[in-house]
């Protein structure tokens, strides 16, 4: 087929169909040797071009090669092919079960580490690649950076999956993190989340090991939400928490300085500065970076709104509590004043009753009433 000029994709599709048909049979002691032979033969016949076979099929062959104990050369060949196109893999592809005897971890961490090392080495020599590895693009550097971002997110999700496993050693976990270059992660939220899950599952880890693990996180590259969580995370070492608080203060200070500078600039040249600033911003940033910055600002605004709402709720609770206390105090003062007024009225009423019973008033009242009766009778 190769000599007759058949496309690599057609050869790959034929090999996929053949492997799936032959490997779907029941595995027993007799068919194991035959399946091992099928896997090794299919691997040797795979086209060298990228994307000739799906990456999920390569991961399936790798699982079969590990389970059937194929030759080391076959497994290394598959790892090299997978590492060259790791940016199109998924998390399910990386979750390779541990088939080897004596392996305590749930997933094969060492195999994934070797694949990541191959991918990182490919990124280092991106300028020396052949044309077939550039995907017919004039910007191999941008594709390499895009692939790094995709793989960094994939690795962070993989770390979060293996972190709860109590049998994953610290050296294995750190090796997966350090397999990628430092510039692969623009945001360290995913890495911080995975490390936090590892510390939660490995509570007996020593303080020195905690410091080594947390040094892998650049706390300056945390989002505002992740930074707020890290500042209150008691699982982190004290040194890391201090770093988080320091960077949060720097972020607030820079935000205030930028806001003041923007207000001054707008007050002097509002329309002109707006046009120039918009053009310079759009020219300096790519659409991808512009969209990422807008999403970041949106997240920060949402977080600030949530904080304001929480503060308003607290103020409303305090207002209701103060109002109730004032009502209680006013009711007590009103009752005491009302009782004093009642006592005064009783006092005046008592005095008037005593005054009306005096002899002079009684005699005067009797004389007047007698005269009135006399006049009525005479008329």
């Amino acid at each position: 087929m190769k000599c007759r000029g058949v496309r690599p994709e057609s050869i790959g599709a034929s090999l996929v169909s053949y492997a799936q048909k032959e490997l779907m049979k029941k595995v027993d002691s007799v068919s194991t040797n035959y399946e091992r032979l099928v896997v090794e033969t299919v691997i040797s016949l795979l086209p060298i071009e990228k994307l000739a076979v799906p990456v999920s099929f390569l991961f399936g062959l790798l699982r079969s090669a590990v389970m059937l104990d194929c030759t080391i050369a076959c497994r290394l060949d598959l790892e090299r092919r997978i590492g060259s196109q790791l940016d199109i893999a998924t998390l399910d592809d990386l979750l390779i079960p541990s088939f080897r005897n004596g392996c305590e971890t749930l997933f094969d961490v060492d195999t994934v580490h070797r694949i990541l090392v191959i991918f990182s080495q490919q990124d280092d020599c991106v300028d020396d690649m052949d044309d077939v590895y550039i995907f017919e693009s004039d910007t191999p550097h941008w594709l390499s950076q895009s692939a790094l971002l995709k793989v960094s997110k994939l690795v962070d999700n993989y770390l979060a999956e293996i972190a709860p496993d109590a049998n994953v050693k610290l050296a294995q976990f750190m090796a997966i993190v350090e397999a990628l270059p430092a510039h692969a992660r623009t945001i360290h939220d995913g890495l911080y989340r995975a490390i936090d899950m590892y510390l939660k599952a490995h509570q007996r880890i020593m303080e020195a090991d905690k410091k080594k693990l947390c040094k892998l996180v650049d706390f300056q590259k945390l989002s505002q939400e992740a930074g707020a969580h890290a500042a209150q995370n008691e699982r982190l070492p004290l040194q890391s928490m201090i770093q988080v608080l320091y960077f949060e203060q720097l972020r607030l200070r820079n935000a205030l300085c930028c806001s003041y500078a923007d207000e001054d600039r707008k007050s002097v040249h509002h329309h002109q500065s707006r046009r120039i600033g918009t053009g310079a911003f759009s020219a300096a940033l790519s659409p991808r970076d512009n969209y990422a910055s807008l999403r970041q600002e949106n997240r920060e605004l949402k977080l600030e709104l949530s904080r304001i709402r929480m503060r308003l709720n607290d103020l409303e609770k305090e207002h209701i509590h103060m109002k109730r206390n004032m009502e209680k105090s006013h009711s007590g003062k009103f009752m005491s004043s009302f009782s004093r007024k009642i006592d005064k009225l009783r006092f005046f009423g008592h005095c008037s009753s005593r005054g009306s019973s005096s002899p002079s008033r009684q005699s005067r009242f009797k004389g007047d009433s007698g005269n009135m009766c006399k006049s009525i009778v005479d008329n």
Side-chain angles (χ1 to χ4, degrees):
M1 294 173 69
K2 290 181 180 179
C3 294
R4 296 194 179 194
V6 179
R7 293 171 58 87
E9 292 81 4
S10 300
I11 299 175
S14 300
L15 290 173
V16 170
S17 178
Y18 173 77
Q20 290 178 350
K21 179 181 178 181
E22 294 297 322
L23 295 178
M24 286 297 291
K25 298 178 181 179
K26 185 178 180 180
V27 179
D28 51 22
S29 59
V30 178
S31 62
T32 300
N33 294 330
Y34 174 74
E35 290 183 348
R36 184 186 301 113
L37 179 62
V38 170
V39 171
E40 293 177 354
T41 304
V42 170
I43 294 173
S44 64
L45 294 176
L46 288 174
I48 61 173
E49 290 83 4
K50 275 189 176 182
L51 304 179
V53 293
V55 68
S56 58
F57 175 71
L58 295 177
F59 274 102
L61 283 179
L62 182 58
R63 290 187 179 91
S64 300
V66 174
M67 182 177 62
L68 297 172
D69 197 14
C70 294
T71 61
I72 297 177
C74 291
R75 284 180 281 179
L76 292 178
D77 187 17
L78 285 174
E79 292 173 2
R80 180 183 60 80
R81 292 174 182 272
I82 292 172
S84 64
Q85 47 188 330
L86 187 60
D87 55 310
I88 60 176
T90 62
L91 180 60
D92 293 334
D93 294 333
L94 285 182
L95 297 177
I96 304 172
S98 296
F99 298 106
R100 292 174 296 178
N101 296 328
C103 187
E104 298 178 352
T105 58
L106 182 61
F107 300 107
D108 194 346
V109 181
D110 297 333
T111 299
V112 174
H113 175 254
R114 289 194 298 269
I115 294 173
L116 289 173
V117 171
I118 293 170
F119 174 79
S120 300
Q121 292 175 352
Q122 179 196 9
D123 179 69
D124 294 336
C125 59
V126 64
D127 295 332
D128 299 332
M129 287 183 177
D130 297 334
D131 294 338
V132 70
Y133 291 104
I134 300 180
F135 297 107
E136 299 178 357
S137 175
D138 295 333
T139 57
H141 180 72
W142 169 250
L143 282 175
S144 176
Q145 183 64 25
S146 176
L148 278 174
L149 292 176
K150 291 179 181 178
V151 173
S152 66
K153 294 180 181 179
L154 179 64
V155 170
D156 291 343
N157 292 331
Y158 178 76
L159 289 170
E161 288 291 330
I162 67 173
D165 191 353
N167 295 322
V168 175
K169 298 179 181 179
L170 179 64
Q172 292 177 316
F173 192 85
M174 293 181 64
I176 296 293
V177 178
E178 295 174 339
L180 294 179
H183 64 275
R185 295 179 177 89
T186 56
I187 299 177
H188 280 219
D189 288 7
L191 180 59
Y192 164 72
R193 172 174 168 268
I195 289 178
D196 183 44
M197 294 176 65
Y198 186 85
L199 293 176
K200 185 177 181 180
H202 301 75
Q203 298 182 1
R204 296 183 180 180
I205 188 173
M206 299 178 62
E207 191 69 21
D209 294 334
K210 282 186 179 181
K211 293 180 180 179
K212 291 180 182 179
L213 188 60
C214 292
K215 283 183 179 179
L216 300 176
V217 181
D218 189 355
F219 294 102
Q220 196 171 2
K221 294 183 179 180
L222 291 180
S223 65
Q224 189 173 1
E225 184 178 0
H229 183 275
Q232 301 177 357
N233 193 352
E234 297 180 354
R235 287 186 288 270
L236 297 180
L238 180 61
Q239 183 179 2
S240 300
M241 297 179 67
I242 293 174
Q243 290 180 2
V244 173
L245 293 174
Y246 173 74
F247 290 131
E248 287 296 315
Q249 288 181 355
L250 286 181
R251 179 182 296 174
L252 292 174
R253 186 182 302 172
N254 294 332
L256 290 175
C257 292
C258 292
S259 62
Y260 291 152
D262 291 337
E263 289 178 359
D264 295 338
R265 193 181 300 112
K266 288 179 180 179
S267 63
V268 178
H269 301 290
H270 178 71
H271 299 288
Q272 183 180 2
S273 64
R274 184 175 181 181
R275 290 196 299 268
I276 296 175
T278 305
F281 186 77
S282 61
L285 296 179
S286 63
R288 186 187 298 270
D289 295 334
N290 192 5
Y291 180 69
S293 63
L294 290 176
R295 290 187 62 187
Q296 179 68 21
E297 291 177 1
N298 190 17
R299 285 196 296 266
E300 292 178 356
L301 288 174
K302 288 182 179 180
L303 183 60
E304 189 66 23
L305 286 175
S306 63
R307 289 179 177 176
I308 293 174
R309 289 173 182 172
M310 292 176 63
R311 182 57 181 165
L312 287 175
N313 292 332
D314 294 337
L315 291 174
E316 288 179 358
K317 292 179 181 179
E318 293 177 0
H319 177 70
I320 293 173
H321 183 68
M322 293 175 62
K323 187 176 180 181
R324 290 178 179 175
N325 292 334
M326 292 176 65
E327 289 177 354
K328 291 180 180 180
S329 61
H330 285 315
S331 63
K333 292 180 180 178
F334 176 76
M335 292 301 296
S336 60
S337 62
F338 183 75
S339 61
R340 287 196 298 270
K341 291 180 180 179
I342 292 297
D343 293 337
K344 289 181 180 180
L345 291 174
R346 290 176 179 174
F347 176 77
F348 289 133
H350 185 65
C351 292
S352 61
S353 63
R354 288 187 299 174
S356 61
S357 61
S358 60
S360 60
R361 290 188 177 181
Q362 288 180 358
S363 60
R364 192 182 302 116
F365 178 76
K366 289 180 180 179
D368 294 336
S369 58
N371 294 327
M372 290 175 63
C373 293
K374 184 177 180 181
S375 60
I376 291 172
V377 171
D378 293 337
N379 293 330

